[in-house]
Amino acid sequence: GIEAHFSPDFSLPIQLEEVTDSTNTLARQAANHVQEATAFMAYSQRAGVGRLNRPWQSPMGKSLSLSLLLPDFPKDLPVYLLSQITAASLCQSLDPYLDNLGIKWPNDLIANQRKIAGILPIFDQDETGRSYVILGIGLNLFQDLEDFPKDLQDKAGSLKMAVGFEIDIDQLLAKLIEDLVRAIQAFKDRQDGQAFLAICREKSLLIGKEVLSYEGDKPARQVKVLDIASNGGLKVKDLKSGQEEVLLSSEISIRTQ
Ligand code: BTN
């Protein structure tokens, strides 16, 4: 099971729920009165939300939902970069268990061509205008293929499916949160962003590939992915016009073809 017993060597209050609507909601409610970084976790969500407002499945006993509330987040730090740093940090924590872990920009962790985790950072302001971030992470731990909705069964996966044996989840999650808090602290202190980007480049499943870029309602464009830009965006070349540009994650969705 995923009874987690954390003993991290840093202080991060963790509120753990059996089931909740969405850990993002818990974090948002706390944002007005909580002054320190706090983790909201749940073993199951009734109404988890993913990127582009898609529903996010978090079945009991099989998944982990985490929302990190980061109060007083500097307004000038790019949200796109926070996504990348989070992806790199998760990759570092999960790498010892997996041979074939990759990042699909901007926010998917992929093992054996299946998405095992998603990342969703939200920038917002409390009632007094102080800006905070809720960093949402959904991790698929123990699902089997039939636990996913039919339409996701060709691309969704779990740690269990990727690793092939049951891993010590307590140990993994404690390490994952610890790595993550360190990574975010380094980012806030404006150190080390480039080191995390190097991991994103090394683990990128898109660099060098020709992909389809969907921007809002516009027709899809064929682009070649060149790099992860230093602001966390995706550097691409439009295959028709030959123009190079940096795409930002809030605006687009990428499909490999
Ligand atoms: C994605 O679309 O890939 C991002 C998924 C993010 C889901 C997480 S689970 C914890 C937090 N609570 C939510 O309702 N969503 C995020």
Side-chain angles (χ1 to χ4, degrees):
I2 51 172
E3 279 300 308
H5 306 281
F6 297 102
S7 49
D9 63 1
F10 54 87
S11 108
L12 174 79
I14 298 178
Q15 185 183 323
L16 181 60
E17 305 281 338
E18 278 288 303
V19 54
T20 189
D21 284 345
S22 162
T23 51
N24 280 352
T25 312
L26 298 177
R28 198 171 290 120
Q29 283 162 351
N32 287 314
H33 52 88
V34 168
Q35 316 294 338
E36 56 184 339
T38 306
F40 297 86
M41 293 175 61
Y43 291 139
S44 167
Q45 300 183 117
R46 293 184 204 94
V49 186
R51 224 165 78 81
L52 309 172
N53 257 326
R54 295 184 184 126
W56 179 260
Q57 311 281 336
S58 332
M60 178 60 84
K62 311 228 165 178
S63 62
L64 189 85
S65 304
L66 166 66
S67 294
L68 264 184
L69 171 64
L70 306 169
D72 286 320
F73 205 81
K75 277 198 178 108
D76 59 327
L77 287 176
V79 60
Y80 318 107
L81 200 48
L82 181 60
S83 263
Q84 300 315 302
I85 280 159
T86 304
S89 168
L90 293 183
C91 250
Q92 271 185 319
S93 324
L94 295 173
D95 227 19
Y97 303 91
L98 298 165
D99 298 328
N100 38 18
L101 187 63
I103 302 172
K104 181 174 170 241
W105 184 93
N107 70 328
D108 295 355
L109 254 60
I110 309 281
N112 297 342
Q113 275 117 48
R114 293 179 176 277
K115 174 164 170 173
I116 60 165
I119 301 163
L120 180 62
I122 299 170
F123 272 60
D124 209 341
Q125 289 194 348
D126 71 9
E127 287 157 0
T128 64
R130 276 189 320 193
S131 54
Y132 64 86
V133 167
I134 296 172
L135 182 59
I137 297 168
L139 186 58
N140 295 338
L141 294 173
F142 295 126
Q143 286 100 328
D144 295 304
L145 202 53
E146 54 273 20
D147 291 317
F148 294 105
K150 279 252 152 15
D151 59 322
L152 296 180
Q153 286 187 1
D154 59 334
K155 49 187 177 203
S158 68
L159 263 186
K160 181 183 161 197
M161 285 166 65
V163 178
F165 58 91
E166 300 246 335
I167 54 180
D168 182 339
I169 279 302
D170 286 353
Q171 212 185 341
L172 166 70
L173 293 180
K175 174 84 168 51
L176 186 143
I177 293 191
E178 191 179 324
D179 287 350
L180 190 58
V181 170
R182 289 233 173 80
I184 291 167
Q185 195 54 52
F187 177 51
K188 275 182 80 173
D189 295 345
R190 290 151 209 268
Q191 310 156 355
D192 247 12
Q194 293 309 314
F196 288 104
L197 280 178
I199 298 176
C200 291
R201 291 187 182 111
E202 185 192 310
K203 291 286 182 187
S204 172
L205 296 173
L206 297 183
I207 292 175
K209 295 229 168 83
E210 291 179 7
V211 302
L212 286 174
S213 161
Y214 292 81
E215 292 144 74
D217 295 336
K218 287 192 244 163
R221 283 193 300 153
Q222 262 207 316
V223 299
K224 176 160 186 181
V225 179
L226 304 175
D227 199 3
I228 307 294
S230 56
N231 70 351
L234 191 69
K235 191 168 175 201
V236 300
K237 180 176 178 174
D238 185 306
L239 286 180
K240 217 170 176 184
S241 69
Q243 290 270 4
E244 289 184 11
E245 61 188 291
V246 173
L247 304 176
L248 295 176
S249 59
S250 57
E251 298 154 8
I252 72 143
S253 153
I254 291 283
R255 238 162 273 170
T256 34
Q257 39 197 321

